Amino acid sequence: MNHDKRLLFFILLTVFPFVCFGQIAYRMQADIMTKTRMPDSTFQISNGKIHYDKNYRKIIFDFTFPEKEKVVLFDTLMYHFSNDTLTRTSRNMLIPDQSVFHFILSGNLSNFGYDNANFQVGDIEKAKNMVITTWYPPDLLKEYISKVLVAKKDKQLYSITLVDPEGEIMNRQILKNYKWLNGIEVPHEILIATYTQQGPMYQIITMKNIVLNEDGNNKNYNYAL
């Protein structure tokens, strides 16, 4: 199985902006499952755990299925370990402090950081029970995206839609099944549709048994590289 494909859904969970809110929580762990329908209509399933600590800024995946592997994302590199032995490194497009996990810990997913990342707010529309805000990217990103549509439902972030310079939808994420944990609203299910030249890819990401601010077990959050 292609590990980079398996991790693609994490890349899609982050969009370019970065913002840091108050220190509500600093680390999280969760059981995570992904079900992916690839553009060629094949299916992939992955199981494992995720650990993230805002102080260490490493996203650590402990995959147990379809094979046992530890993957550590730090800065711009992705490290692959088998039985604590580094097997390879690759480029990492998911910068930890720009990930959805970082925003969950911030306690504020509402704008996903666009209001603090040089994006310009455009139209704000109401559609049924949702409020949809259009955000326009700074010049350095206009080559890749023309706008981002952020929809809120019941004051919660519901979806993020990226539109390319030709006006076609590139990616849409829907966040569902919010639950309160230590005063933070955490989405436990994320649906993603990604549109590529090879065809659409659909993903369901489920997190459960989420634990915030676990004491001890620092190695799980700061795996030595």
Side-chain angles (χ1 to χ4, degrees), residues 84-136:
D84 293 326
T85 298
L86 180 65
T87 57
R88 67 187 178 101
T89 60
S90 56
R91 185 178 178 185
N92 170 37
M93 295 180 63
L94 175 56
I95 308 302
D97 57 13
Q98 297 175 20
S99 69
V100 70
F101 309 112
H102 191 94
F103 291 125
I104 286 174
L105 293 177
S106 75
N108 189 336
L109 280 168
S110 60
N111 287 318
F112 214 75
Y114 293 110
D115 50 345
N116 288 275
N118 296 320
F119 276 65
Q120 298 296 315
V121 65
D123 296 334
I124 301 177
E125 303 176 0
K126 290 187 177 181
K128 295 183 179 180
N129 58 346
M130 290 190 292
V131 177
I132 302 172
T133 302
T134 301
W135 293 90
Y136 295 101

Side-chain angles (χ1 to χ4, degrees), residues 196-224:
T196 70
Q197 291 182 346
Q198 291 74 33
M201 179 170 65
Y202 302 103
Q203 300 160 320
I204 301 174
I205 302 163
T206 304
M207 293 191 293
K208 64 180 182 179
N209 300 325
I210 298 174
V211 176
L212 300 179
N213 296 348
E214 178 190 21
D215 291 329
N217 295 323
N218 287 335
K219 181 179 178 181
N220 291 338
Y221 299 89
N222 191 25
Y223 192 80

Side-chain angles (χ1 to χ4, degrees), residues 66-90:
E67 59 188 278
K68 190 173 182 179
E69 182 186 32
K70 188 183 297 289
V71 179
V72 181
L73 281 63
F74 179 64
D75 197 18
T76 59
L77 289 178
M78 184 185 304
Y79 301 82
H80 302 257
F81 294 88
S82 177
N83 296 321
D84 293 326
T85 298
L86 180 65
T87 57
R88 67 187 178 101
T89 60
S90 56

Side-chain angles (χ1 to χ4, degrees), residues 37-64:
R37 183 179 185 272
M38 302 300 291
D40 62 2
S41 297
T42 59
F43 285 87
Q44 297 180 356
I45 296 176
S46 298
N47 281 324
K49 282 185 175 291
I50 178 175
H51 293 86
Y52 179 64
D53 187 305
K54 290 201 296 186
N55 297 308
Y56 301 128
R57 299 192 179 189
K58 297 176 181 177
I59 298 176
I60 301 172
F61 301 110
D62 285 299
F63 290 111
T64 55

Side-chain angles (χ1 to χ4, degrees), residues 26-38:
Y26 69 98
R27 65 169 46 167
M28 67 176 289
Q29 68 162 305
D31 296 329
I32 194 165
M33 172 185 284
T34 69
K35 298 178 181 178
T36 305
R37 183 179 185 272
M38 302 300 291

